[in-house]
Structures are given as C-alpha cells and as structure tokens.
Amino acid sequence: QLRTMRDMENAWFEAQVDDGASTDDAAVWRVEMPCPNAVNNYRFWLNGPGGPRWLTGLGVIDHDPTDAFDFRLLTSGGTPRWVPETVWYQIFPDRFATSGVEHCEFPDWAWRSEWGDPVATGPEAMTQIYGGDLDGIAQRLDHLVDLGVGGVYLTPVFPARSNHRYDATTFDHVDPLLGGDESWVRLREACDRAGLRLITDLTPNHTGDGHEWFRRAQADAEAVEAGFYYFDEHPDDYASWLGIRTLPKLDHSSAEMRRRLYEGPESVMARFLQPPMSADGWRFDVANMTGRLGTIDDNAMVRQMIRATSDAIDPARWLVAEHFFDASRDAIGDGWHGVMNYAGLAKPIASWLGDFSFLTEMAPGPGQDPRPGRSVATTMDEVRASLAWQVVVGSMALLGSHDTARWRSMARSESNARLGFGLLLAMPGAPCFFYGDEVGLTGDDNEQSRRTMPWDRNEWDAATLDWYRSLVHFRRDSTALAHGGFRWVERTDDALMFLRESADERLLVRADRAPIGRAVSPLGGDQVAGDGEHFTIWRVSLDFCSGMESNSGDGEHFTIWRVSLDSCSGTESNPGQVRRRRPPERVTWRPRSTSHPSASWRTTAITRSIAAASGG
C-alpha cells in the first residue's frame, strides 16, 4: 500500500499487481495517488514473508519513520528539463581570459598584475586585478565547446571594490572593467552561436558598503534606502554578513528594496532574464542566510518571490542557490530549483577520496580520516532523500568552486582526482566544475584556486584534459545520467557501485578507490558478469581515455557499463540470452530461456577505444 499525506492528514491507497507488466521472476505493482498539494510526500508499506516494512527515500526499513525522508512529488512546477542535461563550467571573470582591451580607467581600489603572476596572499588578494573580461571569455568559447560543456556560470559581473565582486556597488549595469553591458550582450550572442547556456550571480543577502543604496542609507536616516538595511544605531551600527562590515545585510521587509532587486518585471533580476541580457537563470549567493537574522526568517518569502518573477518571464529559467549544509527546509520546490550540492556530493566525495583537512575550508570544524564508502553512501542517501527528486536533479553537482580549494589539491592522488570527477558526472544533478580543473590547475585554498587560466598548452596536463573531455561528452549524450533514477548496487569501504536508469538507457557505474580484488567485487574479478561461455561483460579501467597508464586491476578504477535491452537474441556477445534479477544490494545474472527474446541483455562500449579493446 501507499501512504501519503493530504492537507497534512494520513491517507492510504492500495496497490494492485499489473499482470501485463509482470514476469515469472518479478511482479509489477501499480497504485494511483491523488496530488492535491504543491508538495506531495509518500512512502510504501510492504508486507511479505519478511514481515511488514516501509520503503522510503532511505530504502527499506523495519521501523515506523517520520515523514522526513518520504518520497516527494512536486506539482507546482519542477526543474526545467534542460538543466540536468547540461554540464556547467564555472568562470571567475577576472582570471579566465582577457581580450587585451582597456574598457575604462583603472580603479583606485585595485592593483594590476600580469597574466600568470602568482596570486597574492592576505587582504591584497581581494584587490588584485589581472584584466580578465567578458570579451576574453567570448573569444575562448571554442575551448568549452571542445570540452563538451553546455553552460557557463559566471561569478558576479556587477561593479564592486574587489576582484570577486560579491560586494556590489551597484546593480544597474555590468562592471566597466569587464566590458560593461555591451560586452555581456556580445558574450550572450557568442554563447548562443556556440550552443551554450549562460548564468551569473546575484547577492540577495547583502551589498557592498560602497553600494549606492548603502551610501544613501548612511547619509540620511529618512531615506527610503535606510529601510533596505538593518541599522541598530544609524549610521554606523548595522548588521552585516558574518560580521564583515564591508558586506551590510539587506532587510527584505522593505517592499521597495524587493521591487528594485527581484520582485516584478522591472527588478534587477528580471532585467537580466529579458532581452538583450537574456540570462538563462541565476545562481544566488548565500541563499541559506538570505532573509534571516536572529528571530527574523523571510527566506521563504524571498525565494517564492524570486521564483514568481522568473516564472512570469519564462518558467524554463534555472534558479540555483548556494547552500553548504542541510537545504531540506529551503529547497522544497517553491523557490530554488536546486542548490549547490556541497552536502550531498562535494563533501561526501571529498571525504572518500580527499584529504579531509581541506573539508574545513568548506565547513569549518574538526578534521577526520577518510570515510569508508558505506558512510559516504549513507550521507548521500540522507541528503537525496530529504529533497524532492525534481530538486535533486535541479541541483548543481560539484566537487569544488571559487569558494574552495581546487579538487585536484583536495584529492589524495592524481588518480583519485580523476576518479572523483567520474563519480561526480555519474551522479544526479547538473555537473559543474571550475575553470582550469580540466588542465590540472591546483590551489590549496579559495584564493590560490583563483589563479589565471594558462593558455599555453604546454602548461596543460593533457591526460587530465582527455579524461575530462571524454567524461563530459559521455555525460552530455546520456539520458540515464541526465534523467535516470539512482539505485545502489554495492557499497563497501573502497567501492561504490550504482545503477542509473532511464526509459531508454541503463548504466552500471562502479568506482574503486583501492586495488580491485575478488573480495570487494560483487560480480567477481575482471569478468564482471556472465557464465564465461554465453556472454561476458568486461571491466574497463580508469584509463579508457588516453593518457592514463593501465593499472590492470592493481589501483583505482572508474567504470561505466551500458546495459541495454536487445530485441535480437543470439548475438555474438550474448548468444544465450540473459536477464537481470535484483536481490537486495546485489546485481547477479543468469541465463534465460528463449521464450522472452525481448528481455535479453547485452553490453555496449561507452567509447570507441573500449569497443576496440574488447573486440567490438
């Protein structure tokens, strides 16, 4: 039976066996569930030989749970379909590429560095300018097209008094240092020609203390802008983000501030979604703290108004929120389509493959030795189960960003770094990586990670570039990785194995952080399935792309098998048709009679190199 909540009241619906879809080995049950609410949670009650159990987002359990990890179905509009189909490339505009054009007079708050100079340390790191601009990005889009990415995410482009621009001085136009509004339009048009989406950053939590609104607020306690901020005592005692006085916090109870920033068609947010700016969405900085101060909590109002403004222009725009921690209270489908999935992907993967000390950069606290795979999988499960699936696939999947150390520096080894990237691209969500990760850039903290992009190919790690390019292209063309479900097959200390399944594609993914042996392989050795006579599925190691030396099973591996239904029986690779059985936590295989030829299975190679290596 299915148990749901209707207007927060318990409701039950009985499932029936669908004889037409069932087989000798498996029964398919169907149940219809009314969905009267915007968010409809549900779970299944199972009663069989093993006794009564629940099936929830955390799996099968034998105790009565709360509703916290129920499955959820949104009827208020989910994530735009194109979002999880897109691999994103994050760019810090000052550090990616320069057109060589001086767009305006150099500001007095900044100091200039030559491209390739070391990144400064301390306070000077914030005011160091290398001269990257939007026209420079437009001139380098061929690199992104070659990689196979589908979208560009820019950190803020508004004028500010820092190179990161999270301390905006105005929202009225694009920073002249980057080329101004005209340069944004040129980049937009270049992205259109290249088939790339384009989003940038908005800071609804705060402005810079040099912002024109804040200057007016300090100058006159009666000015309308004085209501945009939290003043305890005017003009110098005010709330700021984490006590950083250069970032005064916005008060969202001000209707005028909301109108200017994000509410309605004349707002900053709306203007950038409409021609000629035509952004494909927004990333919202510090979304977890926005509208919150002590006992004040306007976060729901903010995200709902932002969503209403965006949907009125085009429901197919993406709204993604920065959130390092538990987003289940905020990402319920009424505002953000998703969050930056630090909690459910970045931190768990780093805790499995990385130096744990780097995690304190993401979330300060005690360090810990690398976690076992079972623990990592449990964390991923809890985060995924706490959100509606539409929010999971609408979230940004990432390993690092401008706010963290580089993933290559966090990983314990070069092969661990590549393994982590493969794991990331196989997980639900919209994958995103930081510019230069693909050529091997390193950085031990968020400042050093923002070094300039080297355009001399002699400085690139060619093997890493091949690895990124091959995985991104495979991810881009996979319906299962974009829209498919997720099920664990195996979770051991050193191996994670799962299925991604859509209506027309089924992928089996395995990541091994330690040498492979029969003791940790659920399907055994290099021959991962088959009876050795009728069919064989071969293990393909981490080096399926060029540039990786084969380790023949004695090191880390990342493997994807594509397994598809084949209506033709007796193929060379699978003459004695097989089909899958699914015991708990295992995938096993056995031959099947020829009475159901449509249910035969075979494997196909994921790249030409794999096909060649395995004899086609």
Side-chain angles (χ1 to χ4, degrees):
Q1 298 189 52
L2 180 146
R3 183 265 196 187
T4 185
M5 300 294 289
R6 302 172 64 178
D7 303 326
M8 293 308 293
E9 180 63 31
N10 193 52
W12 290 80
F13 299 92
E14 187 167 349
Q16 302 293 332
V17 174
D18 184 339
D19 291 329
S22 299
T23 68
D24 294 341
D25 301 304
V28 175
W29 296 72
R30 294 189 183 276
V31 57
E32 293 188 4
M33 181 183 77
C35 296
N37 304 123
V39 180
N40 300 272
N41 66 302
Y42 61 97
R43 61 178 184 258
F44 298 96
W45 184 80
L46 315 172
N47 196 4
R53 292 162 293 167
W54 289 104
L55 174 62
T56 75
L58 285 181
V60 178
I61 57 178
D62 60 2
H63 65 274
D64 285 335
T66 69
D67 298 343
F69 297 113
D70 278 5
F71 300 108
R72 293 172 181 80
L73 185 64
L74 306 181
T75 58
S76 56
T79 296
R81 185 172 176 83
W82 62 267
V83 170
E85 297 173 352
T86 305
V87 178
W88 290 87
Y89 190 83
Q90 183 189 1
I91 292 177
F92 196 85
D94 182 56
R95 309 294 166 85
F96 182 68
T98 177
S99 67
V101 175
E102 294 287 343
H103 300 286
C104 63
E105 183 178 347
F106 198 73
D108 57 7
W109 56 263
W111 62 284
R112 190 189 303 271
S113 288
E114 295 300 318
W115 204 262
D117 283 353
V119 175
T121 58
E124 287 189 338
M126 300 288 186
T127 56
Q128 184 180 21
I129 294 293
Y130 286 90
D133 57 8
L134 301 187
D135 287 322
I137 296 170
Q139 293 167 10
R140 296 289 187 174
L141 291 183
D142 57 338
H143 174 65
L144 278 63
V145 172
D146 176 66
L147 275 173
V149 300
V152 180
Y153 155 41
L154 303 180
T155 52
V157 297
F158 297 110
R161 296 190 298 188
S162 69
N163 50 40
H164 57 68
R165 296 183 171 84
Y166 285 101
D167 58 332
T169 57
T170 183
F171 294 123
D172 283 351
H173 55 268
V174 172
D175 193 339
L177 270 178
L178 297 177
D181 287 1
E182 297 81 5
S183 188
W184 171 276
V185 173
R186 289 193 292 271
L187 176 59
R188 171 73 272 179
E189 293 171 346
C191 285
D192 287 341
R193 291 191 296 271
L196 298 172
R197 304 277 183 170
L198 179 64
I199 67 171
T200 188
D201 241 308
L202 191 64
T203 56
N205 180 72
H206 57 263
T207 66
D209 63 346
H211 197 285
E212 56 193 359
W213 296 349
F214 190 67
R215 292 293 179 87
R216 294 174 196 146
Q218 281 192 308
D220 183 1
E222 300 302 319
V224 65
E225 289 85 359
F228 292 8
Y229 301 89
Y230 297 99
F231 284 98
D232 290 328
E233 186 174 336
H234 192 272
D236 296 322
D237 188 2
Y238 52 87
S240 59
W241 178 64
L242 296 181
I244 300 173
R245 289 183 55 76
T246 56
L247 301 175
K249 192 171 174 68
L250 289 167
D251 182 352
H252 292 266
S253 68
S254 168
E256 177 61 17
M257 189 277 289
R258 299 196 305 264
R259 186 192 67 78
R260 294 189 195 181
L261 189 57
Y262 57 80
E263 187 177 6
E266 303 302 319
S267 63
V268 171
M269 194 196 91
R271 183 170 67 86
F272 259 75
L273 296 178
Q274 300 175 82
M277 312 306 271
S278 300
D280 290 293
W282 285 97
R283 181 264 193 185
F284 295 92
D285 183 58
V286 199
N288 57 313
M289 299 183 73
T290 296
R292 290 182 169 129
L293 182 65
T295 59
I296 300 169
D297 192 344
D298 291 329
N299 191 272
M301 176 191 71
V302 174
R303 65 178 184 258
Q304 289 163 5
M305 288 183 174
I306 284 174
R307 178 67 169 270
T309 297
S310 180
D311 282 356
I313 295 169
D314 183 358
R317 304 302 171 93
W318 187 33
L319 308 175
V320 62
E322 181 185 26
H323 214 303
F324 273 86
F325 309 103
D326 180 3
S328 60
R329 286 181 56 196
D330 301 340
I332 61 175
D334 61 349
W336 328 122
H337 292 108
V339 298
M340 298 179 79
N341 199 359
Y342 287 104
L345 288 177
K347 289 191 282 187
I349 292 175
S351 72
W352 194 52
L353 298 172
D355 180 342
F356 210 96
S357 63
F358 282 104
L359 292 186
T360 61
E361 294 291 327
M362 297 188 192
Q368 189 171 335
D369 290 335
R371 292 182 180 270
R374 294 180 184 87
S375 174
V376 168
T378 299
T379 297
M380 291 178 175
D381 286 347
E382 287 199 0
V383 173
R384 192 171 55 252
S386 71
L387 304 170
W389 181 251
Q390 291 102 314
V391 174
V392 173
V393 298
S395 290
M396 182 182 286
L398 73 169
L399 294 169
S401 70
H402 67 287
D403 280 326
T404 72
R406 287 272 180 179
W407 168 237
R408 177 61 186 84
S409 295
M410 284 191 277
R412 291 195 303 276
S413 68
E414 182 178 334
S415 55
N416 272 183
R418 294 180 190 172
L419 180 62
F421 186 69
L423 193 58
L424 178 77
L425 263 66
M427 288 288 179
C432 181
F433 60 98
F434 201 25
Y435 76 94
D437 281 353
E438 75 280 8
V439 299
L441 290 193
T442 59
D444 288 346
D445 57 37
N446 64 341
E447 291 298 342
Q448 296 304 311
S449 73
R450 301 172 188 175
R451 60 165 290 193
T452 52
M453 177 72 175
W455 290 107
D456 181 351
R457 290 178 175 265
N458 293 321
E459 299 180 36
W460 292 5
D461 182 335
T464 296
L465 179 60
D466 285 342
W467 179 243
Y468 272 63
R469 183 191 292 116
S470 294
L471 282 171
V472 170
H473 277 270
F474 181 70
R475 173 63 171 72
R476 182 191 63 183
D477 297 332
S478 170
T479 58
L481 295 184
H483 299 293
F486 181 95
R487 286 188 289 153
W488 291 112
V489 174
E490 184 81 1
R491 289 163 287 186
T492 68
D493 287 355
D494 295 318
L496 296 173
M497 193 172 189
F498 53 90
L499 282 162
R500 299 294 315 278
E501 300 164 294
S502 65
D504 55 1
E505 184 180 39
R506 180 174 286 106
L507 299 177
L508 182 63
V509 182
R510 183 178 174 98
D512 294 278
R513 72 173 181 183
I516 297 168
R518 300 185 70 85
V520 300
S521 175
L523 303 177
D526 288 335
Q527 180 184 309
V528 299
D531 58 8
E533 178 181 355
H534 299 299
F535 75 103
T536 302
I537 302 176
W538 296 99
R539 176 178 299 284
V540 182
S541 65
L542 191 72
D543 66 327
F544 76 77
C545 300
S546 61
M548 284 291 288
E549 182 178 351
S550 175
N551 51 27
S552 303
D554 59 357
E556 302 91 337
H557 282 67
F558 177 75
T559 316
I560 298 177
W561 298 273
R562 178 181 281 128
V563 188
S564 58
L565 287 170
D566 187 354
S567 59
C568 300
S569 62
T571 61
E572 181 178 350
S573 62
N574 186 10
Q577 301 167 35
V578 296
R579 72 184 301 261
R580 184 187 56 179
R581 300 177 66 190
R582 184 163 48 86
E585 305 302 331
R586 299 278 292 188
V587 168
T588 59
W589 302 75
R590 66 176 177 84
R592 179 177 172 82
S593 70
T594 58
S595 59
H596 294 282
S598 64
S600 65
W601 294 82
R602 64 181 176 86
T603 62
T604 56
I606 65 173
T607 65
R608 293 189 186 92
S609 61
I610 292 177
S614 62

